[in-house]
């Protein structure tokens, strides 16, 4: 389906839990009030009913996210169910990788196509400080398990923040040289009640490129599948690639193709601004028929805003990453 601006909406980011086993400073909310608004979490049947509604309207790619999605009990069954929905062509996963080594073969067998792994440092001590625990060995085992299970392309997402990990950009470029992974450097975004974002902490795409050193532009045809908003390069002689995503430096809203569903069944049309939101779970639980769900969803998606409102200077968008899923 298309939104009011003619953008094709075919990609759903589906949060399946608010819980997480890491505490990354830029992501975890602090302070009062519920971090993740809405009613009770969706059960598997409700998730599938809503994914079917999105698919009837033209969504063909679903990314499972969270919180940390591997904390959801029975995730393979849910992934298998989503992969079986008519119209869904691919199911991918965003994970911090801590529990991936064991889960990767089962997820691949269930129908998962590929995986993005979030990892901001290759130094154990630093991971303890940035993410609240040193789980580096498990995450790297998860990267290898994903490659071995064929969950390709395997992408490694690195959020770069000044004073935290900007000096590791060359180390991650080396990771893409040594392993068949696609490392994506992601600009810090002002989102959530975290108190983390400051304009000084943001490292823009131009500086990330500079820190990465000499890179060769990747021809259009060699971009990894599901390449989305990143611009990609290949370090000389490397197996993998490196990409750069900067929602603030290089706004890609005009090509935005996605909507987000929280683990409590609320739809969000833009990660970088508040509202509008629709409580799809409430409609489903009130007994809405398929045509009623489709009509409400279709009308709502047409309200997708033209662009985000994030800026380095304005206050953060109040969406909580733990409920929105990145
Ligand atoms: N737990 C999963 C993971 O680690 O990929 C899925 C959820 S996590 C919220 C999804 C992505 O959002 C991660 O790559 C994380 O680094 C990114 N993220 C969270 N807060 C962010 C922020 N303020 N700026 C940029 N990226 C952020």
């Amino acid at each position: 389906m298309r939104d009011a601006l003619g953008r094709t909406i075919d990609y759903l980011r589906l949060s399946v839990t608010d819980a997480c086993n890491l505490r990354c400073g830029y992501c975890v909310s602090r302070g009062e009030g519920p971090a993740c608004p809405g009613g009770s979490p969706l059960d598997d049947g409700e998730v599938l009913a809503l994914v079917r509604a999105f698919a009837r309207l033209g969504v063909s790619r679903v990314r499972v996210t969270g919180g940390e999605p591997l904390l959801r009990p029975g995730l393979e069954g849910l992934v298998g169910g989503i992969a079986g929905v008519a119209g869904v062509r691919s199911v991918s996963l965003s994970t911090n990788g801590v529990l991936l080594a064991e889960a990767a073969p089962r997820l691949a067998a269930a129908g998962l196509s590929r995986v993005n792994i979030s990892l901001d440092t290759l130094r154990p001590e630093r991971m303890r400080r940035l993410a609240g625990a040193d789980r580096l060995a498990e995450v790297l085992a998860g990267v290898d398990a994903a490659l071995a299970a064929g969950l390709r392309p395997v992408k490694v997402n690195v959020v770069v923040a000044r004073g935290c990990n900007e000096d590791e950009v060359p180390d991650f470029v080396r990771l893409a040289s040594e392993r068949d992974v696609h490392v994506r450097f992601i600009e810090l975004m002002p989102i959530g009640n975290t108190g983390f974002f400051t304009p000084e902490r943001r490292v823009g795409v131009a500086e990330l490129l500079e820190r990465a050193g000499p890179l060769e532009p990747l021809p259009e045809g060699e971009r990894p599948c599901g390449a989305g908003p990143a611009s990609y390069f290949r370090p000389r002689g490397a197996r993998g690639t490196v990409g750069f995503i900067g929602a603030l430096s290089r706004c890609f809203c005009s090509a935005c193709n996605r909507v987000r569903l929280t683990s409590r069944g609320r739809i969000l049309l833009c990660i970088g601004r508040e509202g509008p939101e629709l409580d799809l779970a409430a409609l489903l639980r009130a007994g809405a028929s398929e045509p009623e769900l489709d009509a409400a969803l279709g009308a709502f998606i047409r309200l997708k805003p033209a662009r985000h409102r994030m800026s380095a200077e304005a206050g953060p968008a109040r969406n909580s990453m733990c409920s929105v899923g990145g």
Side-chain angles (χ1 to χ4, degrees):
M1 77 162 291
R2 288 179 186 274
D3 70 5
L5 299 175
R7 293 173 295 193
T8 299
I9 308 300
D10 58 4
Y11 178 33
L12 171 67
R13 295 184 65 106
L14 171 72
S15 172
V16 295
T17 179
D18 302 337
C20 192
N21 45 2
L22 292 180
R23 317 268 5 112
C24 303
Y26 53 69
C27 189
V28 172
S29 293
R30 57 175 198 186
E32 308 282 295
C36 306
S40 55
L42 298 172
D43 65 28
D44 284 8
E46 291 172 326
V47 170
L48 290 176
L50 295 185
V51 170
R52 278 195 290 272
F54 280 100
R56 285 194 297 273
L57 292 181
V59 163
S60 59
R61 296 193 293 135
V62 179
R63 172 167 297 278
V64 175
T65 176
E68 173 45 42
L70 294 179
L71 292 177
R72 183 171 174 125
L75 185 68
E76 308 90 86
L78 184 58
V79 163
I82 297 168
V85 168
V88 171
R89 286 190 288 111
S90 87
V91 187
S92 54
L93 177 77
S94 283
T95 172
N96 59 32
V98 170
L99 300 173
L100 186 59
E102 200 241 329
R106 284 185 281 115
L107 287 166
L112 190 73
S113 307
R114 56 181 193 267
V115 67
N116 287 7
I117 299 166
S118 305
L119 178 63
D120 299 333
T121 176
L122 296 167
R123 303 182 191 177
E125 225 2 88
R126 198 173 262 189
M127 184 164 187
R128 195 187 308 279
R129 186 158 49 79
L130 298 180
D134 165 24
R135 311 299 295 270
L136 183 60
E138 286 121 300
V139 180
L140 292 175
V143 171
D144 290 335
L147 288 168
L151 294 171
R152 292 162 186 263
V154 173
K155 296 179 189 163
V156 175
N157 288 343
V158 188
V159 176
V160 183
R162 195 176 313 285
C164 296
N165 61 348
E166 80 275 27
D167 53 339
E168 288 191 63
V169 170
D171 300 344
F172 277 101
V173 173
R174 208 166 307 120
L175 185 77
S177 301
E178 291 165 2
R179 284 177 160 94
D180 186 10
V181 297
H182 304 277
V183 170
R184 287 139 27 114
F185 296 105
I186 297 176
E187 207 177 84
L188 184 65
M189 294 186 285
I191 289 191
N193 178 22
T194 66
F196 188 89
F197 183 93
T198 62
E200 295 71 35
R201 272 198 167 137
R202 181 174 77 94
V203 182
V205 169
E207 181 179 338
L208 290 170
L209 273 161
E210 207 170 291
R211 286 182 174 274
L215 298 171
E216 293 167 4
L218 200 66
E220 193 64 28
E222 290 179 33
R223 283 162 62 87
C225 163
S231 45
Y232 279 96
F233 300 82
R234 193 187 296 285
R236 190 176 289 272
R239 303 178 69 190
T241 66
V242 297
F244 298 84
I245 303 179
L248 297 189
S249 298
R250 299 179 179 177
C251 174
F252 36 82
C253 299
S254 62
C256 187
N257 60 349
R258 58 194 63 187
V259 287
R260 295 172 163 87
L261 185 67
T262 72
S263 62
R264 291 157 199 267
R266 294 160 81 94
I267 314 172
L268 200 75
L269 297 175
C270 174
I271 193 173
R273 67 193 275 165
E274 288 142 43
E277 272 187 45
L278 173 69
D279 192 341
L280 209 52
L283 280 180
L284 185 71
R285 287 168 183 164
S289 65
E290 287 188 357
E292 285 166 344
L293 271 183
D294 296 358
L297 190 50
F300 185 69
I301 287 177
R302 290 189 65 76
L303 303 178
K304 187 171 165 67
R307 61 159 295 159
H308 69 67
R309 283 219 181 107
M310 293 184 290
S311 79
E313 294 74 29
R318 284 220 317 272
N319 300 321
S320 144
M321 275 295 205
C322 78
S323 75
V324 165

